[in-house]
Every structure is written in C-alpha cells, then in structure tokens.
Amino acid sequence: MAVAAKNKGTVVIEGQEITITNPNKLLWPEMGISKIIYLEKLLMLAPYLLTYCRNRYLTTIRFPNGYADKSFYQKNAPEPIPDFVKTAVLEGINYVHLDSAPTLLWLGNLASLEFHPSFHLIGEQLPEEWLIDIDPSLDPEPRIMEAAEIIGEALDRMNIQSVPKTSGATGVQIYVPIVREHGYTFEQLRKIGHFVAQYSVQKYPKLFTIERLKKDRGKLIYIDYLQHWYGKTLSAPYTPRARKDATVSTPLRWDEVARRCDPREFNLLTIGDRLAQTGDLIQQLPPQSLKHVLSFI
C-alpha cells in the first residue's frame, strides 16, 4: 500500500478510493507502527476479522493520537459516510456494517484501533455463537492461562468443544461455535454459563469469582457469563487492541494454553506469520450441540 503524499494520499481497494490522512502518524510508538503500517496490517487481517464483523452491529474504539492517548467509543457511524459503507440501525443507533476491506480501511484511517461486534446478526434476535469472558482483576495476571484451561476442561467434560482466544488485553475468552439451527437463545446460553461459572468458583474459590463489582473481586479472576447478551459486544477475533504491544485478539490451540503462552506474543507484527501457519482455528471447530447440557441444567 503506497501513499505518496506526506500528510495525505489515496489508495484504491476493491475499486473504492479511500483517503489516507497522516499516514506517518505513530499509533503504537513503542512498536514503530504508523498509521500506514496499521492499515497494511488491517488489510492482511481483513479476511479473518470480517468473518466475525460481517452482518453485525459494530462498535469501534477510536484513538486519534495513538493507543496511549485519549479515546472514545464510536457506535453511530461517523459522518460523512462514504457511499460504499453500509449501516444498520438498532435501537436508534446507526451502526457501521463492517462487511468489506474498504470499510475496514476507512475505519482504520479514522484511527479505529478496536472492533467490537454484536453477538447476534443484523435484524436477528438469537446468538450467533457462545462466549465466556474470563476477566482478570490483575494486569498482568500470570494465572490467566491456567484459568482458561480449567474452564476449557469443564466444558470438555460436558462434551462441549471450544476455542480459547486472547482478548488482546488482559483476559481470555472461550469461544464455542453453536448449531444455529437448534435456535438457542441468549437465556439458554446464560444458564449454561452460570452453571459453568458456579462450578468453577466452588471448585477453585481462590482463583475465580462471579462478583460483578470490580471493587469486591480482590485478586480473583471474574468469570463473566453475563456479557454474552443481545445488544452487547465483545472484542472480535483478530481485532487489534489499544495496548502497548499492539496485541491482537487471537484464537489459540489448547496446547498453547497448557504451556502458558503470553498474550503479548500475538500482535500486529507477528499475526501474519501465525495465520499463515494455523489459519483460523475457530473455523476449524464444528458447531456444537448444547441440547444434552440444557436437558440436565
């Protein structure tokens, strides 16, 4: 991707012309990642990131002067909206529909460093997948991979296969593709999440909590089964995060969790080589039936 002008230029992606402003502005100074490098990485990530943002209501977090400076959440599509950018309205908010590489680069040029899609598709009420968010109180939390492994093993004993993914920040999320034809509701998935969380807290009371208030968690790791709900969002697989190491929310193999990998290993400078080796680990897991679990909960 070449931008000739020092402060402004254009690129053509999939037939759409996108203006790039301040291409040399450093968004992650410690990593040497300028806006133009960031946009190149987004273009590489597009086939993966778009899989989890397409047909969803998208919230972005924008950092006009880089990850360490002031930021703001962007729910309503920022004006002016180019002709190629689609939007979708939910509860009075006109969300961006991130369905193409040009739209992704347009958002990237606006210094959108994080992409948080809804758990359900545009115009639908039912969840597209199921996630449990494992949210530590400490940063960094050296026990986070141990915690993920415990939750994964609990699901495995329930005959539910899952994929762990780094949040890209401090936590890990357990991702479960589901058989959508079964019509699972958010309420049903929350029941299973509550069951798993309660079991884990009872078995490992010095590690886990389901206390919602951060001030009351101490150093315990919060099992957030409540975030997975209609209208809520979570960091998408393969979204960059506004962290010092330019981390990317990355699906993991369970053997990587077992060796206690460091989430900082997976960042904008390393994710390309990893994806070339592993592909999308979530897409390699078949959708899971949860009927057997719901029948006994």
Side-chain angles (χ1 to χ4, degrees):
M1 184 188 297
V3 177
K6 185 174 182 182
N7 294 314
K8 194 173 182 180
T10 59
V11 295
V12 177
I13 304 294
E14 296 178 3
Q16 303 295 343
E17 187 175 281
I18 301 157
T19 299
I20 307 300
T21 56
N22 301 310
N24 298 317
K25 177 182 282 187
L26 287 171
L27 299 179
W28 285 271
E30 295 91 341
M31 301 289 284
I33 298 176
S34 62
K35 183 188 282 188
I36 195 64
I37 293 173
Y38 174 53
L39 295 180
E40 289 170 351
K41 299 300 183 184
L42 279 185
L43 198 57
M44 177 270 297
L45 283 170
Y48 303 93
L49 180 58
L50 292 179
T51 298
Y52 302 96
C53 293
R54 190 178 284 113
N55 296 323
R56 312 231 187 180
Y57 303 96
L58 181 75
T59 298
T60 62
I61 311 180
R62 292 173 58 183
F63 294 76
N65 295 305
Y67 86 91
D69 212 305
K70 292 179 181 178
S71 65
F72 60 95
Y73 281 79
Q74 182 93 58
K75 289 182 177 286
N76 272 300
E79 301 282 354
I81 304 172
D83 292 341
F84 59 83
V85 173
K86 298 174 186 173
T87 61
V89 177
L90 178 66
E91 297 177 354
I93 297 174
N94 190 35
Y95 290 91
V96 171
H97 173 195
L98 177 48
D99 67 339
S100 69
T103 298
L104 180 59
L105 290 197
W106 171 67
L107 289 169
N109 180 64
L110 295 175
S112 300
L113 302 191
E114 299 192 7
F115 302 86
H116 297 248
S118 61
F119 294 113
H120 52 90
L121 300 183
I122 292 170
E124 298 196 11
Q125 302 284 324
L126 298 179
E128 184 69 3
E129 65 279 300
W130 176 40
L131 283 97
I132 297 177
D133 188 20
I134 307 173
D135 185 14
S137 302
L138 301 176
D139 180 13
E141 170 54 86
R143 304 170 297 172
I144 190 62
M145 290 299 163
E146 176 191 358
E149 188 171 39
I150 288 169
I151 301 294
E153 287 173 349
L155 291 174
D156 197 53
R157 284 193 291 272
M158 297 164 69
N159 199 27
I160 300 172
Q161 295 182 64
S162 61
V163 178
K165 80 174 180 78
T166 67
S167 69
T170 58
V172 171
Q173 291 137 11
I174 308 298
Y175 195 107
V176 181
I178 56 175
V179 180
R180 295 194 68 252
E181 291 76 13
H182 290 177
Y184 301 118
T185 65
F186 281 104
E187 290 87 350
Q188 288 176 316
L189 298 183
R190 182 172 281 188
K191 279 184 182 178
I192 306 175
H194 183 238
F195 178 84
V196 172
Q198 274 197 322
Y199 165 82
S200 302
V201 169
Q202 288 170 4
K203 191 165 184 183
Y204 302 93
K206 294 183 178 180
L207 183 63
F208 292 118
T209 182
I210 52 174
E211 172 56 57
R212 283 289 279 177
L213 295 177
K214 217 166 192 177
K215 66 181 181 65
D216 295 331
R217 294 179 198 166
K219 296 181 180 180
L220 298 175
I221 295 172
Y222 176 49
I223 304 174
D224 190 351
Y225 63 92
L226 296 171
Q227 182 65 20
H228 186 263
W229 199 250
Y230 182 82
K232 291 180 179 278
T233 66
L234 204 63
S235 55
Y238 308 108
T239 179
R241 298 301 298 267
R243 306 282 291 187
K244 178 181 177 181
D245 298 288
T247 43
V248 172
S249 180
T250 305
L252 306 172
R253 300 188 309 268
W254 281 112
D255 64 277
E256 292 175 310
V257 173
R259 73 167 172 82
R260 307 296 184 248
C261 63
D262 186 334
R264 292 172 296 184
E265 295 175 35
F266 312 103
N267 58 60
L268 283 171
L269 301 183
T270 63
I271 190 66
D273 287 344
R274 176 180 177 81
L275 288 171
Q277 294 169 5
T278 67
D280 185 353
L281 296 174
I282 293 174
Q283 293 299 308
Q284 295 165 30
L285 183 65
Q288 301 293 296
S289 172
L290 306 175
K291 285 184 175 181
H292 61 291
V293 178
L294 288 166
S295 68
F296 74 75
I297 290 181

